[in-house]
């Protein structure tokens, strides 16, 4: 009986959050609802392939404790840093999501570790939020613009966007090279849900994209007491200064280029592994930018417009 009562109370409180708020305020509240300490379960399964001889790959399941901290909070931008809690003494910097209101500049993944920056028409993004997703080393991953929906007791945002292979398959598969991600973020009474409908695509120059397989992703974020993520909170407090410098360095690269292609490795190490050494010594902005530029091949902007 108590469980039913508290569940009902949670639903009422969640509904009242939107009472009297503007649409934009409701959007902001939904984004902030993705912050805190969560018990996360990741589940993926391939569901369809057009070729009858395609051999379905094994399902993927995993779990973790994750801390999502709001690191930037302005009227038109919210930034959330995710941190994985492996154990009390071990924390891993995970992905970052930035949310920008009526943002016109986005990046799209092409293939072969290449991202292209594009400007969207002002009228096309009216009332929308762009989700910019970054990898563990703050390099680009994917982005997309869409409208937050608040209707029939539901609060969700959904978008389709090309991206690189997920890390769970990046080093294991070479039979496709682009993932067209169907992302849905829905706020629930006990946390939030990241639901995915993904296409695994083969992309070659001058040819039409080929669908290899489709998969369903169902990732649940269940809110737990913040104290369970104390290790992550402490880690971020001790390391946020360094990662602020990394973010500033990347922003310089993003702002000045129309496309970026990243090398997969340097001295037999991917970019994120090089950052471990820089993080230990709290490297300067100049050292960080120098490392990024060694990895990034790019075309620069001319006169503020794409080449």
């Amino acid at each position: 009986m108590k469980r039913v009562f508290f569940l009902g109370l949670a639903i009422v409180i969640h509904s009242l959050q939107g009472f009297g708020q503007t649409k934009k305020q409701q959007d902001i509240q939904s984004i902030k609802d993705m912050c805190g300490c969560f018990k996360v379960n990741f589940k993926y399964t391939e569901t369809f392939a057009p070729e009858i001889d395609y051999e379905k790959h094994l399902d993927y399941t995993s779990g973790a404790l994750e801390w999502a901290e709001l690191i930037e909070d302005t009227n038109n931008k919210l930034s959330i840093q995710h941190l994985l809690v492996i154990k009390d003494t071990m924390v891993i910097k995970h992905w970052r999501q930035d949310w920008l209101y009526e943002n016109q500049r986005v990046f799209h993944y092409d293939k072969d570790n290449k991202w292209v920056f594009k400007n969207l028409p002002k009228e096309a993004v009216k009332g929308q939020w762009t989700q910019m997703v970054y990898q563990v080393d703050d390099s680009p991953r994917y982005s997309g613009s869409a409208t937050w929906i608040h209707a029939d007791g539901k609060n969700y945002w959904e978008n389709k966007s090309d991206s690189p292979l997920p890390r769970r398959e990046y080093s294991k598969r070479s039979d496709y090279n682009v993932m067209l991600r169907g992302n849905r973020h829905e706020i629930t009474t006990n946390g939030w849900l990241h639901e995915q409908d993904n296409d695994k695509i083969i992309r070659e120059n001058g040819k039409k994209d080929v669908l290899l397989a489709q998969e369903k992703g169902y990732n649940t974020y269940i809110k737990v007491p913040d104290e369970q993520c104390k290790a992550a909170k402490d880690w971020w407090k001790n390391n946020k200064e360094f990662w602020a410098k990394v973010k500033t360095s990347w922003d310089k690269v993003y702002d000045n280029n129309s496309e970026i292609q990243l090398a997969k490795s340097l001295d037999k190490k991917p970019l994120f592994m090089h950052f471990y050494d820089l993080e230990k010594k709290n490297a300067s902005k100049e050292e960080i930018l120098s490392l990024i530029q060694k990895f990034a091949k790019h075309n620069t902007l001319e006169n503020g417009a794409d080449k």
Side-chain angles (χ1 to χ4, degrees):
M1 247 344 248
K2 286 184 178 180
R3 185 176 181 277
V4 173
F5 171 77
F6 284 117
L7 180 59
L9 182 61
I11 293 172
V12 170
I13 292 172
H14 191 77
S15 299
L16 288 175
Q17 285 180 337
F19 184 76
Q21 291 181 318
T22 66
K23 168 65 169 57
K24 185 179 178 183
Q25 287 171 332
Q26 286 182 287
D27 298 346
I28 291 172
Q29 181 61 56
S30 290
I31 294 169
K32 288 184 176 181
D33 283 344
M34 289 188 284
C35 297
C37 188
F38 299 90
K39 183 179 180 182
V40 190
N41 282 300
F42 305 98
K43 295 181 180 180
Y44 295 91
T45 184
E46 291 189 339
T47 57
F48 169 79
E51 299 297 331
I52 59 173
D53 59 348
Y54 175 79
E55 186 175 341
K56 177 186 172 182
H57 285 245
L58 294 175
D59 291 356
Y60 177 88
T61 60
S62 182
L65 196 62
E66 186 156 308
W67 173 250
E69 179 154 335
L70 186 66
I71 61 173
E72 189 170 347
D73 182 4
T74 65
N75 191 42
N76 291 321
K77 181 180 180 181
L78 297 101
S79 181
I80 304 173
Q81 178 62 59
H82 293 254
L83 302 165
L84 287 177
V85 182
I86 307 303
K87 50 186 177 181
D88 290 343
T89 56
M90 185 175 181
V91 174
I92 295 178
K93 182 179 179 293
H94 206 197
W95 60 301
R96 189 182 95 236
Q97 52 173 329
D98 289 355
W99 291 87
L100 288 75
Y101 186 66
E102 295 186 343
N103 167 67
Q104 292 179 254
R105 192 163 190 254
V106 298
F107 53 77
H108 293 297
Y109 185 67
D110 178 22
K111 58 178 173 55
D112 301 329
N113 246 22
K114 177 182 175 182
W115 290 262
V116 178
F117 290 79
K118 294 183 178 180
N119 290 322
L120 302 175
K122 187 175 181 179
E123 60 274 13
V125 297
K126 185 174 177 60
Q128 292 189 348
W129 288 84
T130 298
Q131 183 201 37
M132 315 279 279
V133 174
Y134 300 90
Q135 310 197 72
V136 295
D137 50 23
D138 284 346
S139 59
R141 189 149 185 81
Y142 59 88
S143 69
S145 185
T147 304
W148 273 92
I149 304 298
H150 311 285
D152 299 331
K154 293 183 178 182
N155 301 275
Y156 66 91
W157 178 97
E158 57 186 357
N159 177 262
K160 294 184 77 71
S161 182
D162 288 342
S163 79
L165 271 63
R167 289 203 174 273
R168 58 191 158 84
E169 294 193 333
Y170 182 80
S171 61
K172 299 176 182 177
R173 298 186 62 169
S174 58
D175 53 346
Y176 75 102
N177 60 347
V178 176
M179 174 172 278
L180 174 55
R181 303 176 62 105
N183 290 304
R184 178 185 172 102
H185 293 251
E186 182 171 351
I187 308 305
T188 64
T189 55
N190 59 359
W192 63 283
L193 168 67
H194 186 191
E195 189 172 1
Q196 299 175 42
D197 290 284
N198 301 325
D199 291 348
K200 298 179 179 182
I201 301 292
I202 302 168
R203 179 170 295 169
E204 298 181 59
N205 289 336
K207 296 183 179 180
K208 187 177 179 181
D209 285 356
V210 175
L211 173 66
L212 177 70
Q214 293 178 319
E215 74 169 10
K216 184 73 176 182
Y218 199 81
N219 303 335
T220 55
Y221 288 72
I222 306 300
K223 198 78 178 285
V224 296
D226 286 356
E227 302 81 64
Q228 293 188 29
C229 289
K230 184 180 183 302
K233 294 169 70 175
D234 292 343
W235 186 94
W236 184 248
K237 184 178 179 180
N238 294 329
N239 291 277
K240 65 181 181 181
E241 178 185 334
F242 170 77
W243 286 103
K245 289 186 287 187
V246 174
K247 183 178 180 299
T248 300
S249 299
W250 272 115
D251 286 344
K252 289 182 180 179
V253 177
Y254 297 145
D255 290 345
N256 294 326
N257 299 302
S258 61
E259 62 180 51
I260 296 173
Q261 186 162 16
L262 295 178
K264 289 188 175 181
S265 64
L266 182 66
D267 298 329
K268 298 182 179 180
K269 293 196 299 186
L271 179 56
F272 74 89
M273 291 187 68
H274 285 271
F275 272 115
Y276 292 154
D277 296 331
L278 295 186
E279 183 182 76
K280 286 178 183 177
K281 67 174 187 176
N282 194 15
S284 66
K285 290 180 182 179
E286 291 74 20
E287 290 175 293
I288 294 167
L289 184 58
S290 175
L291 172 64
I292 293 172
Q293 290 174 334
K294 288 177 182 178
F295 271 83
K297 300 175 183 178
H298 50 76
N299 288 330
T300 58
L301 298 177
E302 291 183 349
N303 301 319
D306 288 356
K307 293 176 73 175

